[in-house]
Amino acid sequence: MFEPHAATMGSRGVGRWPALIACTLVVLGGFASASAAYAAPRFTPMSASVVAAPQPVRGTDGRVHLLYEILLQNTAELRLDVQSLAVRAKGGGTLLRVAGPAIPSVMTTVSGEPVASLESGQGARVWVDLSRRRQSQIPRALVHRLTVGAVLPSGEALTASFDAARTRVNRRRAVSLSPPLRGGPYLNFNGCCGLSPHRTGLHQVDGVGYLPERFAIDFIRIDNQGRGGEGDLTRNESFFTFGEPVHAVARGRVVRTLNNVPENTPLNEPPGDQFTTRTIVGNQVVLKLRDGRFATYGHLQTGSVRVRRGQRVRRGQVLGLVGNSGQSGGAHLHFQLSDGPDPSSSNGIPYVFRRFTLAGVVTNIEEFLTGAANAGIVPRNPASPRRNQLPLHGTVVRFPD
């Protein structure tokens, strides 16, 4: 399983590590020939798998992003140190390499702690954002070269390199949608493609792992001073976004609604364990679009939903009003596109908005969300009209009226 740093191997004994050492002696010589045209299956000290086949999307940075996750599990009997991860095109060259001190910036434990080492039996998640200038540069399939290290009880350091986590790439273009809101400006305070709460929201439903919010956006309206509201901020009505109409992003059929979850007190977000998979996104509308895509609108105002299950809606039709229900600390719209009708037990898929204006970016989102400061807007002069792009985390946008 491992390749030693030193040339001598005969000095170590089996003792308490019989499975590990025996496996090492059997398969050690194979790692050097990994680049051969044909490689026989090999034992590896770690399992690695991709959650869902990635699909590219163009962001407001002008780049095409391929966003996906790798689940790792240490199956060896001792601690493993992840030394490097290389993303490679199947049959091609290396597209992205992360190594050494940079590993914790893309790898976390199940509890979300940055990590570079895994104890025996421990798992981790690797959050990959592979970006390219052009759609044509996105490969059809990916494979990942992992290099891990370990130290035996004798003190001998070993390494192993192996290919794993093979996945196809869904190369169809992200669906183009009309915006769910009108006017603005709106701040995307929880979006793609860094390690935001949406991006890392991998959870289990009925024993299956899902990441429904992979490309989700939280929109809140701000003014030119970077304020999300004015007056008594303990009242939902003081927030600029509260009560704004929410619009259908495309023609579709309503497959799910919820309209009776109570509003929260602003700046006091309830913990997630107070909700079920049904109520965590609060009052909601889910639309079934074409090609198996489902659009979810969450945290709507109590009693504001204007459509019913089974109803067909047209693009731009008002579905409800922005509220502060479910797991929410302030009035905002949660929007996501996924591959299933349940906002919790589905996987997020990419989308772009047909037309909007990029007005700037905000650099202090954490302080803004806690009420410690207004949003620090870095304006874009002049504002930049955009077509068929996904607003990235921290962007400030205006939609057509």
Side-chain angles (χ1 to χ4, degrees), residues 31 57 71 113 118 141 147 150 153 168 176 200 205 223 250 253 270 283 286 289 312 333 356 390 399:
F31 289 112
V57 63
L71 303 184
E113 296 297 320
L118 299 178
T147 298
R168 68 177 182 87
S176 182
T200 58
V205 178
D223 64 11
R253 180 169 56 86
N283 299 307
V286 179
L289 311 182
R312 295 193 177 275
L333 175 66
F356 62 94
L390 176 70
F399 295 121

Side-chain angles (χ1 to χ4, degrees), residues 5 18 71 85 115 117 148 157 160 230 237 241-242 259 295 301 319 375:
H5 288 163
L71 303 184
L85 167 73
V115 68
S117 301
V148 300
E230 62 181 351
E237 293 78 6
T241 325
F242 189 78
N259 203 21
Q301 191 179 126
L319 306 175

Side-chain angles (χ1 to χ4, degrees), residues 9 13 166 228 262 275 284 310 326 339 352 370 389:
M9 293 179 53
R166 293 169 173 82
F275 301 96
Q284 61 199 257
D339 61 4
V352 294
T370 60
Q389 292 185 351

Side-chain angles (χ1 to χ4, degrees), residues 56-75:
V57 63
R58 187 173 295 279
T60 42
D61 59 357
R63 298 183 67 85
V64 178
H65 292 260
L66 202 60
L67 217 63
Y68 62 99
E69 307 77 35
I70 304 172
L71 303 184
L72 301 181
Q73 186 80 31
N74 179 359
T75 58

